[in-house]
Amino acid sequence: MNITVQEQLERLALEVEEEIQGISRQIEKTAYANHKKVLDQYTRAGVSDFHLKGSTGYGYNDASRDKLEELYAGIFRTEAALVRGQIISGTHAIALCLFGILRPGDELLAVQGEPYDTLVEMIGIRGSAPGSLRELGVTYRQVDLLPDGNIDYNGIRLALNERTKIVYIQKSRGYSLGPSMSVKEMARLIEFIRKYRRDVTVFVDNCYGEFVEQQEPTEVGADLMAGSLIKNPGGGLAPSGGYVVGRNDLVSLAASRWTAPGVGAEIGPSPDYIRLLYQGLFMAPRCVAEALHGAVFTARFFERLGYQTIPAYDEPRTDIIQAIVLGSESKIIKFCRGIQAASPVDSTAHPEPWDMPGYENRVIMAAGTFVQGASIELSADAPIREPYVLYMQGGLSRYYTRLAAVNAALMLEQP
Ligand SMILES: *Cc1c(COP(=O)(O)O)cnc(C)c1O
């Protein structure tokens, strides 16, 4: 009896669903713990219907905005939070922190090799965008990961010096195959750094990391942390925004950069969509769990089809990114087109590699999302460079991710 390729892939998908049951249960345990953490803060803070509305103009004494920031500070266990719809992206939130704190003569130290692509120009690691940290006289130092992918503790000890002002740690792997960092390992790293420089500011880029584990970096010693609301903490509902959480004085410095020194966080109206920032944060643990279920399915499914996946389906996860080593440009393009064609929005779009601002190589992106560029919704992207690795993340429902992954596999089978 002849069965079609599509039928074969559907059968494989059913088998994979069975294989991943045990891991799915673990994901649900974490989701439950994080739901509890989030709900506790909503009830403690006394969120009311009255907070779910926007305001205008300067936004003086804006209770909606203040209450939302109270929730973020509570959930991330920090003294303060700056949470604004008008922070445009994760990069913007990170820029507020770096430019808010660093002064001429200070040094920024990255301890896991090169940071995420969009930070390269901002820092001035290569090339230097006008207004980069480098142009302002802030120096940059980097400790690469060891060849086995582990943290080079000795290298960090040697790199720390009296000018080191910020140590930059990234929770997620970004566009690299290096291991992403668990909160447990981050705790060890931060403790190590403090042994040599007690007063250095430990900053964590938490993009894609929120609610994947039961603890957040700010619970294990990070001074300041930033992320995007169109990733994990927006719960798939936030239409725009970013957050900064951490120590009072540091969040104030970031806020001064966001508006102006002297006014800081005191102004800034709540957008009319602020209800979605509240509702999205509340839904975020569920949303992150769906993304994780989808990532685990996709990893196992493509492993069964003979591809290397990072992380492997049964490895511990610290972010929502799933990498698949496809091995050629044409496979990357096919995969992305398969994802795009199975999207609820713009399913007829035809992704092509392009020179995206802020990235060094051509990049191809598939995203049929309700919120433009929201990578908590299912998206697949890849820099066009060796060894041709595809990165997939998000997915508001695990079933949608499964449908899209099967479609991508089907596309790979086409000539
Ligand atoms: C997404 C991301 C950023 C920032 O990206 P934006 O597209 O500007 O939101 C920074 N660092 C990491 C690790 C990321 O995943």
Side-chain angles (χ1 to χ4, degrees), residues 7-136:
E7 283 164 342
Q8 284 173 28
L9 292 171
E10 297 289 358
R11 281 184 193 185
L12 177 61
L14 278 176
E15 284 176 35
V16 167
E17 280 278 288
E18 289 302 315
E19 278 183 276
I20 64 175
Q21 292 285 329
I23 294 167
S24 300
R25 276 195 291 276
Q26 289 305 314
I27 293 170
E28 289 305 303
K29 265 191 198 163
T30 300
Y32 176 76
N34 281 325
H35 265 295
K36 177 167 187 337
K37 188 185 210 179
V38 167
L39 178 60
D40 282 350
Q41 293 302 324
Y42 277 71
T43 53
R44 194 194 57 81
V47 175
S48 153
D49 182 50
F50 149 87
H51 293 114
L52 309 180
K53 296 183 172 69
S55 64
T56 58
Y58 293 112
Y60 286 126
N61 304 317
D62 187 315
S64 309
R65 179 193 74 205
D66 293 350
K67 189 57 78 180
L68 183 66
E69 292 182 340
E70 187 184 332
L71 286 175
Y72 267 79
I75 290 164
F76 291 108
R77 317 285 194 236
T78 57
E79 289 175 3
L82 179 76
V83 185
R84 303 293 161 109
Q86 301 96 338
I87 296 176
I88 304 310
S89 64
T91 305
H92 187 190
I94 294 164
L96 299 177
C97 298
L98 300 184
F99 284 89
I101 293 168
L102 294 162
R103 299 289 178 268
D106 288 344
E107 188 158 280
L108 172 66
L109 175 65
V111 293
Q112 300 148 288
E114 195 163 278
Y116 188 75
D117 294 44
T118 59
L119 306 195
V120 169
E121 280 197 62
M122 184 209 297
I123 296 169
I125 299 174
R126 274 189 307 284
S128 185
S132 69
L133 287 171
R134 181 193 185 136
E135 193 187 275
L136 300 180

Side-chain angles (χ1 to χ4, degrees), residues 312-326:
Y313 86 102
D314 55 354
E315 276 182 274
R317 282 167 196 266
T318 69
D319 65 20
I320 61 166
I321 301 181
Q322 182 60 51
I324 306 167
V325 184
L326 291 176

Side-chain angles (χ1 to χ4, degrees), residues 17 292 359 381:
E17 280 278 288
L292 290 170
Y359 292 85
D381 40 70

Side-chain angles (χ1 to χ4, degrees), residues 62-365:
D62 187 315
S64 309
R65 179 193 74 205
D66 293 350
K67 189 57 78 180
L68 183 66
E69 292 182 340
E70 187 184 332
L71 286 175
Y72 267 79
I75 290 164
F76 291 108
R77 317 285 194 236
T78 57
E79 289 175 3
L82 179 76
V83 185
R84 303 293 161 109
Q86 301 96 338
I87 296 176
I88 304 310
S89 64
T91 305
H92 187 190
I94 294 164
L96 299 177
C97 298
L98 300 184
F99 284 89
I101 293 168
L102 294 162
R103 299 289 178 268
D106 288 344
E107 188 158 280
L108 172 66
L109 175 65
V111 293
Q112 300 148 288
E114 195 163 278
Y116 188 75
D117 294 44
T118 59
L119 306 195
V120 169
E121 280 197 62
M122 184 209 297
I123 296 169
I125 299 174
R126 274 189 307 284
S128 185
S132 69
L133 287 171
R134 181 193 185 136
E135 193 187 275
L136 300 180
V138 173
T139 60
Y140 169 74
R141 195 182 290 254
Q142 172 179 321
V143 178
D144 288 328
L145 293 171
L146 294 169
D148 64 4
N150 284 313
I151 296 283
D152 180 1
Y153 281 92
N154 197 42
I156 293 170
R157 183 176 61 78
L158 295 171
L160 283 165
N161 62 69
E162 69 288 346
R163 289 201 302 111
T164 313
K165 181 73 161 283
I166 293 184
V167 176
Y168 170 92
I169 301 175
Q170 187 173 303
K171 176 124 198 282
S172 154
R173 74 185 67 245
Y175 279 158
S176 83
L177 295 178
S180 61
M181 186 174 273
S182 68
V183 172
K184 195 168 162 218
E185 171 146 34
M186 208 179 286
R188 179 172 169 230
L189 174 60
I190 294 171
E191 195 185 352
F192 180 85
I193 292 163
R194 296 259 185 254
K195 256 200 324 222
Y196 298 97
R197 277 292 313 277
R198 173 143 291 284
D199 56 336
V200 82
T201 295
V202 174
F203 170 77
V204 175
D205 168 358
N206 201 30
C207 285
Y208 289 137
E210 301 89 354
F211 306 122
V212 174
E213 300 179 74
Q214 294 189 22
Q215 271 193 313
E216 300 292 333
T218 39
E219 294 176 67
V220 297
D223 297 304
L224 191 66
M225 183 164 88
S228 164
L229 301 197
I230 62 171
K231 293 181 177 174
N232 306 14
L237 292 172
S240 175
Y243 78 87
V244 172
V245 291
R247 234 168 56 201
N248 247 328
D249 57 325
L250 300 171
V251 172
S252 282
L253 286 168
S256 291
R257 185 71 201 192
W258 182 64
T259 55
V263 271
E266 298 299 313
I267 58 170
S270 291
D272 284 339
Y273 56 74
I274 195 156
R275 176 180 64 80
L276 296 173
L277 306 191
Y278 278 96
Q279 195 174 346
L281 176 64
F282 178 68
M283 291 303 292
R286 174 77 262 136
C287 195
V288 169
E290 287 303 312
L292 290 170
H293 288 301
V296 169
F297 172 87
T298 304
R300 186 55 180 161
F301 186 68
F302 283 92
E303 278 164 34
R304 291 283 302 269
L305 290 171
Y307 295 94
Q308 188 199 352
T309 61
I310 303 163
Y313 86 102
D314 55 354
E315 276 182 274
R317 282 167 196 266
T318 69
D319 65 20
I320 61 166
I321 301 181
Q322 182 60 51
I324 306 167
V325 184
L326 291 176
S328 76
E329 175 169 348
S330 81
K331 281 188 172 175
I332 285 201
I333 294 173
K334 283 179 188 165
F335 190 107
C336 286
R337 289 181 180 164
I339 296 291
Q340 188 73 41
S343 298
V345 180
D346 290 332
S347 61
T348 57
H350 210 56
E352 297 276 358
W354 66 297
D355 286 306
M356 189 169 165
Y359 292 85
E360 263 190 272
N361 301 87
R362 283 183 307 141
V363 177
I364 183 166
M365 298 197 158

